[in-house]
Amino acid sequence: MMKTFTKTGLIAVLLGLSGIAQADVSANLGYASEYHYRGILQKNSSASGGLDYESGGFYAGTWAADVGDGLEVDGYFGYGGEIDEFGYSVGYTGYFYTGDFDDTCLLYTSPSPRD
């Protein structure tokens, strides 16, 4: 039983790695003299950074920014594509905060990075 599970796990990892070879990965770094969210000043002088991944319609990413009392850490994932002239995307976005800054905000749909 364990050998079968180990072989299946190894095959899954190898298939996953083969998909990474065809993926687009990008990173970003930023700095804002004033960081506003929802129209409210979050922090003067805020640094941020993120990492994005896309492969075969699947996309995922994360982004973080200094908000003074902690960090805002955003994450998203989804799947998007086109059928003829019809484009679609189904995804999830979450905004998470460390420290006592704010509550978690969740969005259950997000546009494709291609939009």
Side-chain angles (χ1 to χ4, degrees):
M1 178 76 171
M2 189 62 164
K3 281 189 170 186
T4 303
F5 181 74
T6 305
K7 287 180 185 176
T8 303
L10 180 59
I11 291 169
V13 168
L14 291 174
L15 288 174
L17 290 175
S18 70
I20 290 173
Q22 301 169 15
D24 290 325
V25 177
S26 62
N28 61 75
L29 293 173
Y31 173 82
S33 58
E34 292 184 351
Y35 175 46
H36 293 262
Y37 181 66
R38 301 179 192 155
I40 300 170
L41 177 65
Q42 305 300 309
K43 184 171 190 274
N44 286 321
S45 182
S46 177
S48 63
L51 184 64
D52 302 296
Y53 169 88
E54 183 177 2
S55 178
F58 172 78
Y59 54 90
T62 187
W63 180 83
D66 176 15
V67 291
D69 293 333
L71 294 175
E72 173 188 340
V73 181
D74 305 346
Y76 72 90
F77 64 89
Y79 185 83
E82 292 182 9
I83 300 173
D84 294 326
E85 296 293 317
F86 176 75
Y88 62 91
S89 178
V90 177
Y92 165 89
T93 302
Y95 302 91
F96 306 94
Y97 299 90
T98 65
D100 294 329
F101 175 73
D102 198 357
D103 292 329
T104 298
C105 175
L106 304 176
L107 300 176
Y108 293 99
T109 59
S110 65
S112 168
R114 292 179 289 261
D115 293 342

